[in-house]
Amino acid sequence: MIIFKIKKVHFNQEYQLILIILWDEKKIVEKILRYTSLAKKGKSQHYFITGKKGIGKTSLATYVQQLMKDDMVGVYISNKNNNSLETLTTNIIEKILNKLPKSVVKDKLKSIVGLIDGVEFKSTKINFNPKPEITKDLVNHFEDYLNKICKNIPENKGILLIIDDINGLSDSKDFVNWYKRLVDTITVDVDYNIPIYFLLDGYPEKFNNLVNYDESFSRIFHHDEIELLKDQEVQNFFIDTFKEVNMGCDSQALDLMVTYSSGLPLMMQEIGEAVFWETDTKKVSGIDANMGIIEAGKLIGKRQIKPVMDKSIRSENYENIFLKLGKFNIDYFKKNEFEKKLTSVEKRAFPKFLKRATDLNILESIGKDKSGEYKFSNRLYLVYFRILNLEKNNILS
């Protein structure tokens, strides 16, 4: 399970809302942990977690890091929006250096990094800003740097290297070639004894992109995909969560929260927190749930949706089309069938709407070429437009 804690002061008492995600994917956690002992012995391990946006990949990875803390030095790298191997390798070295005892780094910097230029000590933090020629060397001889560093990690420990959001590198054959060469070198060459566990995550289609460059890439990894939660799991989550703070939920509230969570742990967490703050009694009502869901939608919209939508949707017709997809809960549609639900004005705008939405990866064309079949690239978009409809209905009523 993964536990999130949120505090609320209510009637001069402190309550905690404990959000617990019970992974049917608990088996994934157990599988990841299974290979820890091999990694500690210098037999590098590689695991790739895939799942759609908002499904909980980052939470799962950081949870595993917490579980492994006695066996592995956890190093977390956010690779969001990065498509550069130089940036990735530099970030990895910097983060690992910051996990080593500072006395060790200062005494053995020359032997660890092989250079002094680019390393700065700022209070308790080390900044690594090497010159361009060094960043190229990092990429080309990354295994050498890892080998030197690993000789200085605490005794009987390995390194758990989490590379979160590998998506930006998924269109790069260079990344596939680099990673395969790294793995082959540290696996075959007896001069390397690197106790390291690589844990990567990204979208399923991005992993497939990498495999398409070289089929043998997939054989490097143990691989699992996080699926959407079932309605019953979501319902149990809300019942158990509110029970932890001596609160209940009426049936209407439960139905609303389950429906608008749409199987996404991220949405479930945001709705749980927002509904909690909207409720001033010991029992969550349908009205509380309704208001909390709208607040959760606004938050998700601000963080995840609007940065894309503001670039693309400046037409009232486009907004109305998206709202209709939400109103009818349509994740997948055929162009000629959905068109029947549009007004004459919306129909005229529909072809340009489809092009703009697919160009920005809000919708994606699926099926055979020119089949006229589309779906949301990210389920969060559909949830967001469903919540906008809920808010609209509230205002009208």
Side-chain angles (χ1 to χ4, degrees), residues 65 68-69 72-76 95 99 158-162:
Q65 179 180 343
M68 284 190 181
K69 66 182 180 180
M72 312 289 282
V73 176
V75 178
Y76 172 87
K95 289 294 180 69
K99 288 289 185 173
I159 292 176
L160 172 65
L161 179 58
I162 298 171

Side-chain angles (χ1 to χ4, degrees), residues 17-20 236-245:
L17 175 60
I18 304 178
L19 302 183
I20 305 174
N236 290 343
F237 160 79
F238 283 120
I239 292 172
D240 294 341
T241 295
F242 285 101
K243 187 177 179 180
E244 288 285 342
V245 287

Side-chain angles (χ1 to χ4, degrees), residues 98-112:
N98 276 286
K99 288 289 185 173
L100 299 179
K102 296 301 178 288
S103 58
V104 170
V105 178
K106 287 181 178 179
D107 293 342
K108 300 184 177 181
L109 185 60
K110 188 75 175 178
S111 63
I112 292 175

Side-chain angles (χ1 to χ4, degrees), residues 267-295:
M267 206 65 234
M268 188 170 67
Q269 180 181 340
E270 296 294 351
I271 287 175
E273 181 179 356
V275 170
F276 178 71
W277 284 93
E278 288 292 333
T279 307
D280 287 326
T281 66
K282 290 286 188 178
K283 192 163 189 175
V284 180
S285 68
I287 293 174
D288 297 328
N290 199 304
M291 297 303 296
I293 289 165
I294 291 171
E295 286 304 310

Side-chain angles (χ1 to χ4, degrees), residues 65-295:
Q65 179 180 343
Q66 179 66 20
L67 290 178
M68 284 190 181
K69 66 182 180 180
D70 292 334
D71 295 303
M72 312 289 282
V73 176
V75 178
Y76 172 87
I77 306 293
S78 174
N79 193 63
K80 189 173 183 179
N81 298 324
N82 173 52
N83 59 6
S84 163
L85 278 172
E86 286 83 1
T87 299
L88 175 64
T89 51
T90 300
N91 286 344
I92 291 172
I93 296 299
E94 180 180 276
K95 289 294 180 69
I96 295 178
L97 287 176
N98 276 286
K99 288 289 185 173
L100 299 179
K102 296 301 178 288
S103 58
V104 170
V105 178
K106 287 181 178 179
D107 293 342
K108 300 184 177 181
L109 185 60
K110 188 75 175 178
S111 63
I112 292 175
V113 186
L115 54 100
I116 301 239
D117 292 342
V119 178
E120 297 177 337
F121 290 86
K122 290 190 175 181
S123 185
T124 59
K125 190 175 185 298
I126 297 172
N127 290 340
F128 185 40
N129 298 300
K131 295 177 180 178
E133 59 268 24
I134 300 301
T135 60
K136 290 182 181 179
D137 192 62
L138 276 174
V139 173
N140 294 331
H141 301 98
F142 189 64
E143 61 276 8
D144 292 331
Y145 289 92
L146 276 183
N147 200 36
K148 291 172 184 175
I149 288 175
C150 284
K151 290 178 181 177
N152 295 278
I153 63 173
E155 191 175 356
N156 298 322
K157 281 200 173 187
I159 292 176
L160 172 65
L161 179 58
I162 298 171
I163 306 178
D164 186 17
D165 196 344
I166 207 68
N167 301 312
L169 288 163
S170 67
D171 293 323
S172 169
K173 189 175 182 180
D174 288 342
F175 173 72
V176 173
N177 293 337
W178 173 80
Y179 199 91
K180 285 184 80 275
R181 181 183 62 78
L182 171 66
V183 172
D184 291 342
T185 302
I186 63 180
T187 301
V188 176
D189 196 326
V190 294
D191 291 333
Y192 296 100
N193 181 27
I194 304 177
I196 192 165
Y197 199 141
F198 293 85
L199 181 59
L200 282 61
D201 71 60
Y203 300 152
E205 62 272 17
K206 301 300 184 180
F207 178 71
N208 292 338
N209 283 353
L210 294 168
V211 173
N212 287 337
Y213 284 121
D214 189 329
E215 289 184 3
S216 64
F217 182 79
S218 66
R219 293 197 288 273
I220 294 172
F221 296 93
H222 308 289
H223 170 234
D224 273 297
E225 181 171 352
I226 302 176
E227 303 287 350
L228 292 171
L229 296 171
K230 299 178 179 65
D231 284 352
Q232 188 60 54
E233 291 175 312
V234 178
Q235 179 171 301
N236 290 343
F237 160 79
F238 283 120
I239 292 172
D240 294 341
T241 295
F242 285 101
K243 187 177 179 180
E244 288 285 342
V245 287
N246 299 316
M247 292 173 64
C249 304
D250 68 27
S251 59
Q252 184 186 19
L254 272 178
D255 288 345
L256 282 168
M257 290 189 292
V258 169
T259 296
Y260 286 93
S261 292
S262 200
L264 292 168
L266 173 63
M267 206 65 234
M268 188 170 67
Q269 180 181 340
E270 296 294 351
I271 287 175
E273 181 179 356
V275 170
F276 178 71
W277 284 93
E278 288 292 333
T279 307
D280 287 326
T281 66
K282 290 286 188 178
K283 192 163 189 175
V284 180
S285 68
I287 293 174
D288 297 328
N290 199 304
M291 297 303 296
I293 289 165
I294 291 171
E295 286 304 310

Side-chain angles (χ1 to χ4, degrees), residues 22 117 274 335:
L22 296 174
D117 292 342
K335 178 178 178 292

